[in-house]
């Protein structure tokens, strides 16, 4: 796969991830009744919904900054994976397997996007972290 193809897949995945989690964060912060009713039915407290929404919006902002904040982007990807895993487990235990389709699709989409991120940023960012580890 060429670097150009990897960058294209990465930015398409980043755009889709940002739309998905940006909309979700916006709906959580603005108390969209559909999102709130589902999240409350899953057993999460109200304060958690606000915190999750703000975290998603901040994470999307970090993802959309091109070529910078690479270490922070890794943390954002980790947070998104945790969100997806908890959403899957919560929906599975409360609503059943049929309600987990969105979490499965999100997991696949974000996994592909993360692999393209690691391919596109495999230059000085990762070499620097290896060099720091070697000097410790």
């Amino acid at each position: 796969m060429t670097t150009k193809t990897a960058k294209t897949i990465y930015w398409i995945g980043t755009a889709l991830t940002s739309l998905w989690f940006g909309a979700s964060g916006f709906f959580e912060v603005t108390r969209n009744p559909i999102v709130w009713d589902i999240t409350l039915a899953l057993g999460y407290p109200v304060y958690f919904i606000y915190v999750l929404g703000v975290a998603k919006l901040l994470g999307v902002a970090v993802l959309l900054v091109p070529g910078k904040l690479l270490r922070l982007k890794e943390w954002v990807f980790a947070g998104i994976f945790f969100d997806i895993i908890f959403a899957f487990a919560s929906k599975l235990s409360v609503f059943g397997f049929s309600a987990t389709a969105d979490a499965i699709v999100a997991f696949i989409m974000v996994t592909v996007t993360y692999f393209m991120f690691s391919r596109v940023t495999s230059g000085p960012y990762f070499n620097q972290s290896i060099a720091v580890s070697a000097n410790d």
Side-chain angles (χ1 to χ4, degrees), residues 11-30:
W11 280 110
I12 290 170
T14 299
L16 293 173
T17 300
S18 297
L19 284 171
W20 188 313
F21 287 89
S24 175
F26 176 77
F27 292 147
E28 289 162 348
V29 170
T30 60

Side-chain angles (χ1 to χ4, degrees), residues 12-113:
I12 290 170
T14 299
L16 293 173
T17 300
S18 297
L19 284 171
W20 188 313
F21 287 89
S24 175
F26 176 77
F27 292 147
E28 289 162 348
V29 170
T30 60
R31 295 186 69 130
N32 177 285
I34 296 170
V35 172
W36 273 76
D37 292 346
I38 291 171
T39 309
L40 291 173
L42 293 173
Y44 292 103
V46 170
Y47 71 86
F48 180 78
I49 302 171
Y50 282 118
V51 171
L52 188 60
V54 169
K56 286 179 182 180
L57 293 173
L58 291 173
V60 166
V62 168
L63 284 181
L64 293 175
V65 175
K68 298 201 184 299
L69 307 172
L70 300 177
R71 179 84 56 186
L72 193 54
K73 284 183 185 185
E74 289 225 333
W75 282 79
V76 170
F77 277 113
I80 289 172
F81 279 114
F82 284 123
D83 179 73
I84 293 169
I85 290 166
F86 289 127
F88 177 84
S90 298
K91 289 180 177 183
L92 181 64
S93 65
V94 175
F95 300 130
F97 185 76
S98 61
T100 63
D102 61 335
I104 294 169
V105 170
F107 185 80
I108 293 167
M109 176 184 68
V110 175
T111 300
V112 170
T113 304

